[in-house]
Amino acid sequence: MAEDVNGNYEYVILGCGGLGSSVVKDLISAGKKVLAVDINPEKVEVLKDQEIDAIVGDIRDDETLDKIDFDKITGVLILTSDDQVNREVALKIRKRSSDVLIVTRASSPKARDEMEEIGVDVVITPIESMKQQLLSSIKKVESLRKLKLLRNVIQNTSGKLGIFTHDNPDPDSIASALALREIAKHFGVEADILYYGEIQHQQNKAMVNLLNIPMLKANEVNLSEYSKFALVDSAGPGVNNSIPSDVKISIIIDHHPAENVEAEFADVRGDVGATATILTLYLQDLKIVPTKTLATALFFGIQTETEEFRRNARTNDFLASAYLYPFVDNELLEKMEGPALSTETLDVLGTAIKNREIFSSFLISFAGFITDKDTLPQAADFLLKLEGISTVLVFGIIKDNVYLSARNTDVRINIGDVLKKAFKDVGSAGGHAHAAGGKIPLGIFGDVSDKETLAKLVTQAVKKRFLSALGIEIED
């Protein structure tokens, strides 16, 4: 028997009561070679009847322990309910081997500390395990409660559901809308994805075209055809979108910080880096297996929103992405990740580089009169790579508005709060610590028709407000 133990077993379980027997079965299910040892012949026979290798032995006796070469196994689990027995056996095993992994059970934090002092690697305390399980169960209950409310709101839709993205939707917004459309379908409700503005960014175009995502321009449909509306990746009408103020939003799902969110169902949380993560968690809880298209869209949405998990990525973003990855079409994902740059993006980038002004580690640049606001964050991301630069603000004029895009790597600064402080009284602005955006109506600059004069006025005003919010005063 000693040769079998030494040569074949990865884990030895000492003490096979309820917990021990359960662990033995779980390890075997995981493909591990396990030997069970218990003083009770009846328990050993029960295990043997289930074709589990088990022997009778008093684990406190040296004779039993001497049969096992602890240097040739991965780990030993001491799982009796008696702290003194577990401690005594752990001491004997540690004297026999300094390398074997020892796991014990302890009835209290004090007993756990004593086990760790004698060299036990992992100590399981039922009280703490129950506490963690209880907290996990509470989170599960809260999640299920949210989903029950979401289901009720969707199922009480008498006709079609209209799902708005924010204006000029990005991958996070598009993917989230697509997921909510699938959830509505799961609850028996037809839904359309609606958007204002344009899909101009190369990655966004590639995503919609390659995944064949059905999206309708909101200003080209009759909104009265929808009995309810949802909004993803935005916290309400007018918040980075052109939804009419008289349109009632019944469902709001967003990952951006927001106050006074009004809807029948609202899930606005700051513990995720992307709205697509929230929708992925919904799919998991609802046991909806995503199609290849949906999984690819959600994975791409999380990936781009967190800049490949380098910006604002949280634990749930990694967990959601890990869940999605087996369903992802990697060939399509690769095509979406690297579309060709448009000539306008290059032009905007060139103008932003030319017009850059640097104040210490802060860079500000006017990108000119543009047609695609999605070129601004691309320019901001590029300029942030310049040596010595930690904070970037790029802005451009599109028709009747000034659009802002900011990026930041300075841990002392929350760029979303800075933009809000600088521009909330003249427009809308906000975001996260590392990325933010905003919009200012040109009307505040008066009736100026000359582009050169307007550019100077806008640049001076934006620069002064932004730097002042950062605590830097400049002369007019």
Side-chain angles (χ1 to χ4, degrees):
M1 193 281 297
E3 185 176 343
D4 285 342
V5 171
N6 297 338
N8 296 324
Y9 296 107
E10 296 174 76
Y11 291 94
V12 175
I13 312 300
L14 304 180
C16 296
L19 177 61
S21 297
S22 178
V23 170
V24 167
K25 294 170 186 175
D26 286 344
L27 285 172
I28 291 174
S29 296
K32 306 299 181 181
K33 183 69 173 175
V34 181
L35 174 69
V37 182
D38 197 273
I39 196 171
N40 189 326
E42 293 180 359
K43 290 180 181 178
V44 170
E45 283 304 313
V46 169
L47 292 172
K48 285 183 175 180
D49 288 343
Q50 299 174 58
E51 298 185 349
I52 294 172
D53 290 349
I55 61 170
V56 177
D58 186 342
I59 63 175
R60 293 172 296 180
D61 288 347
D62 290 335
E63 183 181 351
T64 299
L65 298 179
D66 286 342
K67 292 177 181 179
I68 305 167
D69 187 344
F70 292 101
D71 285 327
K72 291 186 178 180
I73 62 174
T74 300
V76 56
L77 285 71
I78 311 166
L79 301 178
T80 80
S81 58
D82 189 319
D83 289 339
Q84 184 58 39
V85 170
N86 293 346
R87 185 176 183 280
E88 178 185 336
V89 175
L91 272 170
K92 289 184 176 183
I93 294 173
R94 185 53 78 209
K95 288 178 181 178
R96 285 168 167 77
S97 172
S98 60
D99 296 326
V100 68
L101 175 70
I102 301 177
V103 179
T104 64
R105 175 179 178 178
S107 62
S108 68
K110 180 182 178 183
R112 177 197 61 204
D113 294 341
E114 291 175 350
M115 298 289 188
E116 291 176 346
E117 286 177 3
I118 63 172
V120 173
D121 298 287
V122 179
V123 183
I124 304 166
T125 56
I127 293 177
E128 291 186 355
S129 298
M130 287 179 63
K131 182 176 72 175
Q132 292 301 320
Q133 186 175 0
L134 179 60
L135 291 174
S136 178
S137 297
I138 289 173
K139 288 182 180 179
K140 187 73 172 178
V141 167
E142 290 175 348
S143 175
L144 292 175
R145 182 176 177 276
K146 280 184 179 179
L147 288 175
K148 184 178 181 180
L149 177 57
L150 176 62
R151 181 193 65 195
N152 291 340
V153 173
I154 291 176
Q155 289 184 331
N156 287 330
T157 304
S158 56
K160 280 204 299 186
L161 175 69
I163 304 172
F164 285 112
T165 66
H166 57 62
D167 285 4
N168 312 306
D170 61 6
D172 185 28
S173 188
I174 294 168
S176 300
L178 185 64
L180 185 56
R181 180 173 177 264
E182 184 65 25
I183 290 171
K185 179 182 176 182
H186 178 75
F187 291 138
V189 174
E190 183 182 354
D192 290 333
I193 302 174
L194 310 172
Y195 71 99
Y196 287 98
E198 301 291 337
I199 300 176
Q200 293 180 314
H201 191 295
Q202 301 92 294
Q203 278 193 332
N204 304 353
K205 282 182 178 179
M207 176 184 185
V208 172
N209 293 335
L210 288 169
L211 298 181
N212 195 26
I213 298 175
M215 301 183 68
L216 303 175
K217 292 193 114 181
N219 54 3
E220 295 179 0
V221 300
N222 184 358
L223 296 182
S224 64
E225 293 180 357
Y226 300 93
S227 59
K228 281 188 181 181
F229 293 99
L231 175 60
V232 294
D233 207 25
S234 185
V239 183
N240 196 23
N241 61 68
S242 301
I243 300 171
S245 57
D246 61 343
V247 171
K248 181 183 177 183
I249 304 296
S250 299
I251 298 168
I252 291 177
I253 305 170
D254 190 17
H255 77 103
H256 300 96
E259 299 176 356
N260 303 319
V261 178
E262 296 182 3
E264 291 180 70
F265 175 86
D267 190 355
V268 179
R269 57 176 86 174
D271 63 344
V272 295
T275 304
T277 296
I278 302 173
L279 271 299
T280 301
L281 297 176
Y282 288 173
L283 293 176
Q284 287 182 274
D285 286 338
L286 290 169
K287 294 181 173 54
I288 299 174
V289 178
T291 62
K292 185 169 288 190
T293 295
L294 180 56
T296 305
L298 288 167
F299 186 90
F300 188 58
I302 299 170
Q303 183 184 52
T304 56
E305 190 69 11
T306 60
E307 289 186 359
E308 296 185 350
F309 308 101
R310 296 191 302 267
R311 186 188 76 197
N312 294 324
R314 307 296 180 86
T315 300
N316 278 329
D317 301 307
F318 290 102
L319 292 175
S321 298
Y323 167 74
L324 292 167
Y325 191 74
F327 306 104
V328 168
D329 187 321
N330 286 289
E331 185 177 343
L332 288 179
L333 186 65
E334 188 175 342
K335 289 180 180 179
M336 292 189 294
E337 288 172 338
L341 287 174
S342 68
T343 54
E344 181 178 4
T345 300
L346 290 175
D347 289 341
V348 169
L349 183 55
T351 303
I353 292 172
K354 179 182 176 182
N355 292 339
R356 71 191 185 280
E357 294 184 72
I358 297 175
F359 303 83
S360 182
S361 63
F362 309 122
L363 185 151
I364 304 173
S365 184
F366 174 53
F369 294 84
I370 62 179
T371 60
D372 178 10
K373 77 181 185 72
D374 286 331
T375 59
L376 297 176
Q378 290 176 282
D381 286 332
F382 180 85
L383 292 171
L384 190 62
K385 297 176 183 177
L386 295 179
E387 185 177 357
I389 300 301
S390 64
T391 306
V392 172
L393 174 65
V394 178
F395 57 98
I397 298 173
I398 304 178
K399 296 182 179 179
D400 299 325
N401 294 289
V402 179
Y403 287 91
L404 313 159
S405 182
R407 294 292 186 268
N408 172 61
T409 58
D410 190 332
V411 295
R412 300 167 299 176
I413 295 172
N414 184 310
I415 198 64
D417 291 344
V418 170
L419 254 61
K420 191 179 294 183
K421 180 180 178 181
F423 304 108
K424 67 178 180 180
D425 62 325
V426 293
S428 60
H432 297 288
H434 304 295
K439 182 173 73 172
I440 306 169
L442 275 178
I444 68 167
F445 297 100
D447 187 15
V448 181
S449 58
D450 179 66
K451 282 192 173 183
E452 185 176 346
T453 302
L454 180 60
K456 288 181 180 178
L457 283 173
V458 169
T459 299
Q460 186 64 18
V462 169
K463 181 169 61 176
K464 184 175 181 180
R465 281 176 168 270
F466 181 65
L467 291 175
S468 177
L470 288 166
I472 303 172
E473 298 299 330
I474 60 172
E475 296 181 1
D476 292 328

